[in-house]
Amino acid sequence: MKILNLAIPLTLLSQLASANVEISLSNDSDKEEMKRTQVLRLIEQHNLSKWWFTNKIIIDESARSPFSHPVLTLKASMPNNDPAGLSQLLHEQIHWFEDSKKKEVENTISELRKMYPSVPVGYPDGARSEFSTYLHLAVCLMELDALTEVLGKKQAETVIATNGKYFYKWVYNTVLEDQAKIRKVLQKHDLYI
């Protein structure tokens, strides 16, 4: 794995205070380099500080899907589709936020279980477990709200609806349909950015 420790001050690229981002390329491929360029472009073009919780990012074209832990890892996919790339980046950053709020997550999921007593598990409708499907209701709602703040409501809802055609189908569609109800639960339990 080639590590490009760019240590680029994000203040030069955006308004992310004095943080630095370290982007590693797993295979040093052209596709991964294109994705790195996209991530840097997104940071430069948008103030993402509100949703920025880790500065270490790996880009891995062989990853089956993006994931947040132990290091935020992005697929090298869609390097020219900035709204989709932004959605992917924000989604994984939001997982880092939730990881720091264990009690709030527990309380939120408890209430979401009452609202949605039966949720799908597994691809393409749900996440890998029941717990993860409930957790993704929160993640995807905050992803929608972050995209709305950055791109506007119409484009944000288009991105979320497009995601919902391919993965987390039930989750994304439920977030679009019940966003006010889900947002209220997150705010009530202090699990909202």
Side-chain angles (χ1 to χ4, degrees):
M1 174 188 324
K2 180 178 179 184
I3 297 177
L4 295 177
N5 185 353
L6 299 176
I8 296 171
L10 291 177
T11 51
L12 297 177
L13 299 173
S14 73
Q15 301 171 21
L16 287 176
S18 60
N20 293 317
V21 64
E22 179 184 310
I23 300 176
S24 304
L25 305 180
S26 289
N27 304 291
D28 196 28
S29 69
D30 289 343
K31 285 175 71 175
E32 290 175 352
E33 179 60 34
M34 289 174 63
K35 187 67 174 185
R36 180 186 73 85
T37 300
Q38 179 189 48
V39 170
L40 292 172
R41 180 173 60 247
L42 292 169
I43 293 168
E44 181 180 295
Q45 292 176 351
H46 306 288
N47 178 3
L48 305 178
S49 59
K50 184 175 180 179
W51 308 280
W52 202 264
F53 300 96
T54 182
N55 290 324
K56 292 187 179 186
I57 299 172
I58 295 172
I59 299 172
D60 185 354
E61 69 183 358
S62 62
R64 289 184 58 213
S65 61
F67 54 91
S68 58
H69 288 77
V71 178
L72 193 154
T73 301
L74 302 174
K75 290 175 54 169
S77 61
M78 299 180 285
N80 297 313
N81 182 338
D82 284 359
L86 184 61
S87 172
Q88 188 184 85
L89 178 61
L90 290 170
H91 181 104
E92 301 311 331
Q93 286 283 357
I94 291 165
H95 275 297
W96 277 82
F97 166 75
E98 286 189 332
D99 193 50
S100 70
K101 310 263 254 169
K102 301 288 189 203
K103 187 65 177 169
E104 293 86 347
V105 165
E106 183 181 307
N107 293 336
T108 298
I109 288 178
S110 178
E111 188 163 342
L112 290 172
R113 282 182 196 276
K114 293 173 189 166
M115 290 170 56
Y116 307 101
S118 177
V119 298
V121 174
Y123 178 85
D125 293 312
R128 68 178 168 255
S129 69
E130 182 182 83
F131 176 86
S132 187
T133 297
Y134 285 114
L135 184 69
H136 275 86
L137 285 170
V139 171
C140 296
L141 182 278
M142 287 186 278
E143 177 187 350
L144 169 64
D145 286 356
L147 288 169
T148 298
E149 198 167 316
V150 175
L151 302 175
K153 184 173 180 62
K154 183 177 180 183
Q155 191 169 14
E157 288 184 348
T158 298
V159 170
I160 295 299
T162 300
N163 289 351
K165 291 179 183 177
Y166 302 102
F167 55 95
Y168 299 143
K169 289 180 173 187
W170 178 86
V171 175
Y172 279 120
N173 290 319
T174 301
V175 162
L176 285 173
E177 290 174 22
D178 295 345
Q179 57 187 279
K181 287 188 343 185
I182 297 168
R183 186 177 300 112
K184 187 175 180 180
V185 171
L186 270 60
Q187 290 169 336
K188 174 182 174 183
H189 295 292
D190 194 29
L191 189 67
Y192 187 75
I193 301 170

